[in-house]
Amino acid sequence: MPKISFKTWEQFVEFHNPLKNGELDRQKLEVRMDPLTEHQSVLSDQLKGKVSILFPETDYAYLQQRFDETREQCFMCDERWRKTSPRYPDSLIPEGRLIKGETVLFPNLFPLAPYHAVVMVGQKHGRTLDDFPSSLLFDAFSICLEFIRRCFEVDREARYFTINANFMPPAGGSIVHPHLQIIGSPLPSTPHRLLLEKSLAYYRDNGSCYWLDLIETERESGQRWLGEIGPGRWFTAFSPIGVNEVNAVWPHKSHFLQWDDEDIRTMAEGIRRALLTYHELKFSTFNFSCFSGPLEEAAPEFRCFLRLINRQNMNLHYRTDDYYFQKLLKNEIIVYPPEHLASLIRKNGPSQFK
């Protein structure tokens, strides 16, 4: 098996620091490069003292205030979705919507792709990150997969799908009620395409699947390894593209049409456990995207892959965590070193990864 290389290098900065009485200060930076995409992240020990500025802790009184103020206008609450949410045509979903337990799937009123659905995740309007039962997430992901299957049955050109979440306004959510979004198109998005192209190039160069090699390399290292839940393999990202990034790979599944209930349970339980740790760190928001290879194709070079990250916390004086360094230069700062984050998740009591 080719050994995946986790590349790092040091950079140093010198200046007279007014916080140290004008003394000459020499600071070290560690730059990390993702083994597949070459995305760069920067770790600075000096940021430890700036975390409270970059990510002020969640203001739970303000969070509850937002829950209370938005509930009466929420189109998902109190069964209002039955009258106010759109319906799919009979040619795609004869029922108009997909329903499983407390979760409901319907079209996005403002679609960004030929197939763009929203999933209401439970009837409860306001949730904190310690309040996402795996059974609820299982139902939500189940109807995501059912929607993807139905789309592909009627449109074989729709081959590229992702399952996504914007939880709370700082993460891009337009409403606070928990929900997911599914995007499907004949063409992959830019980061989706990059993952597929880089995976194929690695396969051609090495004769093996990058994602399987990554799993074994992370397992052997152990520093970022979280463990296995059913068929899923979980670890923290070496060079994260977002704050506190947690990853999962399904080593036996290259696209969503191959998934079964056990794969869905893996995703639900793994996300639940990661969110518990985020909550313990006093974070209150997140994004995730789960990427599939092209539907119906057995792709030896690719495996289904999940990215889960934090975003800025809910507080009155909100400050975005996404500025030119991330948005335009496509780099990221590391707030909690991935190895430290992994240790925190592994310590999550009875919820620890196996």
Side-chain angles (χ1 to χ4, degrees):
M1 181 190 76
K3 188 70 173 180
I4 290 178
S5 176
F6 294 110
K7 295 180 180 179
T8 65
W9 61 92
E10 294 181 349
Q11 296 176 332
F12 294 90
V13 183
E14 290 186 347
F15 56 91
H16 291 277
N17 193 335
L19 301 179
K20 297 182 178 180
N21 298 316
E23 295 179 1
L24 185 64
D25 191 4
R26 180 176 170 85
Q27 296 187 10
K28 182 179 75 172
L29 306 176
E30 179 184 288
V31 184
R32 298 183 174 203
M33 179 180 288
D34 182 86
L36 184 68
T37 65
E38 299 185 342
H39 166 85
Q40 292 183 21
S41 303
V42 180
L43 174 63
S44 168
D45 287 341
Q46 304 302 314
L47 287 178
K48 291 179 181 177
K50 199 178 178 183
V51 171
S52 61
I53 298 174
L54 294 173
F55 288 88
E57 291 185 0
T58 298
D59 184 337
Y60 287 102
Y62 172 69
L63 183 60
Q64 186 60 51
Q65 177 186 334
R66 296 302 301 147
F67 290 162
D68 295 341
E69 291 176 349
T70 57
R71 188 179 184 281
E72 290 302 317
Q73 292 78 41
C74 178
F75 78 94
M76 294 186 185
C77 284
D78 301 323
E79 302 289 311
R80 284 191 286 270
W81 61 266
R82 295 185 182 275
K83 294 183 177 180
T84 58
S85 65
R87 297 169 57 88
Y88 278 104
D90 291 347
S91 58
L92 181 59
I93 299 178
E95 315 94 292
R97 308 179 184 98
L98 297 178
I99 301 173
K100 185 176 177 62
E102 292 187 18
T103 64
V104 185
L105 180 148
F106 46 82
N108 193 320
L109 275 173
F110 307 100
L112 300 175
Y115 301 97
H116 189 173
V118 175
V119 177
M120 182 185 85
V121 183
Q123 297 180 14
K124 187 174 181 180
H125 181 63
R127 293 181 185 270
T128 50
L129 299 192
D130 60 341
D131 188 21
F132 279 89
S134 57
S135 58
L136 178 65
L137 293 173
F138 175 85
D139 287 349
F141 297 143
S142 294
I143 58 174
C144 289
L145 270 294
E146 177 62 21
F147 174 73
I148 292 169
R149 292 187 185 101
R150 295 203 191 191
C151 290
F152 190 65
E153 285 175 359
V154 301
D155 184 359
R156 297 284 170 162
E157 296 298 316
R159 300 166 60 235
Y160 299 97
F161 280 83
T162 55
I163 301 172
N164 313 275
N166 300 320
F167 183 66
M168 306 301 288
S174 57
I175 58 174
V176 303
H177 198 118
H179 60 286
L180 308 177
Q181 297 191 38
I182 305 101
I183 292 282
S185 173
L187 297 173
S189 65
T190 302
H192 198 170
R193 175 178 54 79
L194 181 65
L195 290 173
L196 295 170
E197 290 178 351
K198 291 288 187 177
S199 296
L200 181 58
Y202 182 94
Y203 184 78
R204 288 172 173 168
D205 290 343
N206 297 281
S208 61
C209 176
Y210 168 80
W211 303 99
L212 300 182
D213 291 351
L214 178 64
I215 288 170
E216 292 309 311
T217 304
E218 289 288 12
R219 192 202 307 270
E220 289 177 8
S221 168
Q223 297 180 82
R224 293 170 296 276
W225 184 250
L226 299 177
E228 303 178 7
I229 303 177
R233 307 294 184 262
W234 294 77
F235 46 92
T236 56
F238 169 74
S239 179
I241 69 167
V243 173
N244 298 331
E245 183 177 344
V246 175
N247 294 158
V249 175
W250 283 260
H252 307 296
K253 304 296 170 67
S254 65
H255 62 77
F256 285 146
L257 295 184
Q258 297 174 326
W259 279 40
D260 56 24
D261 283 355
E262 192 60 24
D263 299 304
I264 299 170
R265 288 191 182 94
T266 292
M267 185 167 170
E269 180 62 13
I271 288 177
R272 183 189 72 84
R273 297 179 188 186
L275 294 183
L276 282 175
T277 301
Y278 287 172
H279 180 75
E280 291 169 359
L281 294 172
K282 299 184 179 180
F283 283 86
S284 51
T285 71
F286 64 87
N287 291 123
F288 74 70
S289 290
C290 190
F291 300 88
S292 166
L295 298 186
E296 206 175 43
E297 289 186 10
E301 75 277 5
F302 193 76
R303 295 296 185 271
C304 293
F305 171 58
L306 172 78
R307 294 188 189 274
L308 171 68
I309 63 172
N310 282 134
R311 295 297 302 276
Q312 186 57 260
N313 289 317
M314 285 290 289
N315 57 70
L316 183 59
H317 302 293
Y318 163 73
R319 171 198 173 276
T320 183
D321 60 327
D322 192 14
Y323 52 105
Y324 76 90
F325 197 68
Q326 295 95 339
K327 193 72 172 179
L328 300 178
L329 300 186
K330 301 300 181 183
N331 295 325
E332 185 54 72
I333 59 171
I334 298 175
V335 177
Y336 287 94
E339 297 76 18
H340 178 56
L341 176 63
S343 71
L344 296 176
I345 297 176
R346 287 194 296 262
K347 289 179 181 178
N348 208 5
S351 299
Q352 68 187 22
F353 286 75
K354 295 179 182 179

